[in-house]
Amino acid sequence: MSKPVFMLALTGLLVASLAPVQAGSARTSILEKLQKEAGTAFSAERGKILFSSTHKGGKPKTNSCTVCHTKSPLKTGKTRAGKDIAPMALSKTKDRYSDPKKVAKWFRRNCRSVLGRECTALEKGDFITFMSNL
Amino acid sequence: MDNLLHNLEKSPVKDVRTVLVWDLFVRLFHWSLVILVLITGITGFLGEEWWLDYHVWAGYGIGGLILARLIWGLVGSPYARFSSFIFSRAETLRFFKELLRGRPSHYTGHNPAGALMVFALVFVLISITISGLIVLGGQENQGVLAGVVPYFVGEVFEEIHEVLSFLLLALIGGHIIGVFVESRLSGDNLVRSMVTGTKESASPDEFKHSKLKSAFVFLTVLAVIVGSGGWVYVALAELPPNGLIKMTVNKTYATECGDCHFAYHPSLLPANSWHKLMTGLEEHFGEDASLDKDVSKGLSDWLQKYASEKWDTEAANNLRQLDLKNLISITATPYWKKRHSEIAKAVFARKSIGSKGNCIACHKDARSGRFDDQQISIPLNQKEKEI
């Protein structure tokens, strides 16, 4: 192996090994922001209830997260249009909750669909905490 | 010489013997044609959409056989030549009168009724083949005419192709009845003759005929036609399909819309529908699918730029007629409903399909907007695939 190729490979390896760390720090900063806004400590238990319960006020065909994500966040879900959704649990889908734009977009849409309103910072934090501890 | 021959044949029977009437080419031609017409008939009248390839290839085969037969009709063995069974109107009328009385004159080759049937069959088969090519090019954007035939022309010719096919069915029925009637009246077993090539004949002389010369002239003419036709074919086949425009790739569309559902080809809805759909994302088929304003504006512009008005494909042309109660739903359009009416609800509910809106589960080429018949493959339940 020539020297430049070796260096390139080494750099690649380094970047690859750092990627989860970067996702992790991005996630931490998202959670910290939500924490500041919420003011209360997040609870995985509350997140679980939010995920599993059936809600009123949202759109009739999507009255629970479980309609698309299935009852277990560890399983692959399916959109109503038939597309697979990677599992919600962080242990199954490593890059979840690390892109602030995506997190904002999906909470906005899906909370409106399921609850009929946007979620509070506390709800979002509970949800991510629940998904991170599975 | 031919007239002389007929006169000799019709002379009172004295010395009956076996002669070769249908040469090997004619017999191979006849039974190959039977097989290919059966294939096109079964695939055309009864087949599923995705059998189209078999229909088309059998059709090409029929075209080739007819071309070869036309050449052989000019240069082949005596009874195969058209000149040996072109009869005057008077002779034809006389033959039919005799037939009505149940005592038709005996002909070693085709009699006037059989001759008429041969010409009718050849004419109808040529017309079916050509109209089929036009349908294939216009409607399906496939085949040698894909680049030159507009969709609506293909649609018109589909009707013609169909009418001609029923006419062919009638002719085939008439042909078979004719064969049995003649076999009965003449005592010849005409079906066996088309296998063995021989008939009992009173003809005192066989023709002087050089098989080698016939074969040589035949092959030369065939080579010239196929060679020169080949250039036209290649030139036509190189034209891009008519009505499919070039479109820029939109990665935002693939993720923003494609994350939840199959990223529908822009040609599947008119520009007005795309506009309406993109301004109502908060209420998007029962879900909130809202997007940032700049993102949705960019997507909306792109969708409207490549909307169905710009395309001349089968899908774009037919889906343009909307359900007036639901202007943004592809699966609500009358055409979509009609074409999927035979598919049970349970099929759409299969895990491998998921919903009516998941085109790509069954239409493997849905991304291109083509929706070719041959690209349809309905997945079974147990097969789980990443879509």
Side-chain angles (χ1 to χ4, degrees), chain B residues 73-118:
Chain B
L74 300 174
V75 305
S77 72
Y79 289 109
R81 290 195 188 195
F82 299 132
S83 57
S84 76
F85 53 92
I86 295 175
F87 300 100
S88 67
R89 192 183 296 181
E91 187 171 358
T92 306
L93 279 175
R94 193 177 67 218
F95 178 82
F96 274 105
K97 274 180 198 156
E98 292 168 358
L99 189 62
L100 282 177
R101 287 200 305 267
R103 297 175 66 92
S105 310
H106 186 261
Y107 289 77
T108 307
H110 290 299
N111 64 39
L116 280 181
M117 181 57 81
V118 170

Side-chain angles (χ1 to χ4, degrees), chain B residues 292-329:
Chain B
D292 291 339
K293 276 231 168 68
D294 52 330
V295 176
S296 76
K297 173 81 170 63
L299 288 175
S300 186
D301 289 349
W302 180 78
L303 285 165
Q304 290 179 62
K305 185 177 171 192
Y306 296 110
S308 76
E309 291 90 337
K310 307 288 168 56
W311 303 76
D312 193 30
T313 57
E314 189 173 22
N317 275 296
N318 288 296
L319 294 171
R320 235 174 261 147
Q321 195 200 334
L322 301 168
D323 171 23
L324 295 179
K325 285 186 225 116
N326 193 348
L327 299 171
I328 61 168
S329 168

Side-chain angles (χ1 to χ4, degrees), chain A residues 59 61-62 68 78-84 101-102 105-106 108-110 112-113, chain B residues 256 258-261 282-283 285-292 351 355 358 386-387:
Chain A
K59 301 191 192 293
K61 284 182 180 167
T62 53
C68 297
K78 200 154 214 129
T79 70
R80 287 169 56 242
K83 273 222 157 185
D84 283 353
K101 266 195 168 174
K102 266 194 175 177
K105 179 179 105 177
W106 287 108
R108 183 190 68 228
R109 288 175 158 196
N110 291 353
R112 279 189 194 162
S113 291
Chain B
E256 291 304 327
D259 273 350
C260 283
H261 56 72
E282 289 75 19
E283 189 56 66
F285 297 91
E287 281 178 52
D288 185 305
S290 54
L291 289 167
D292 291 339
K351 269 195 161 182
S355 84
N358 197 11
E386 269 287 311
I387 294 157

Side-chain angles (χ1 to χ4, degrees), chain A residues 15-68:
Chain A
V15 169
S17 64
L18 280 176
V21 179
Q22 279 176 338
S25 72
R27 189 157 39 245
T28 312
S29 89
I30 289 171
L31 273 171
E32 275 169 1
K33 246 183 155 176
L34 288 169
Q35 186 69 79
K36 257 186 207 163
E37 213 183 315
T40 318
F42 295 140
S43 140
E45 195 50 41
R46 277 201 308 267
K48 185 180 181 177
I49 293 167
L50 178 67
F51 177 80
S52 337
S53 4
T54 304
H55 301 272
K56 278 174 190 159
K59 301 191 192 293
K61 284 182 180 167
T62 53
N63 56 6
S64 170
C65 308
T66 58
V67 169
C68 297

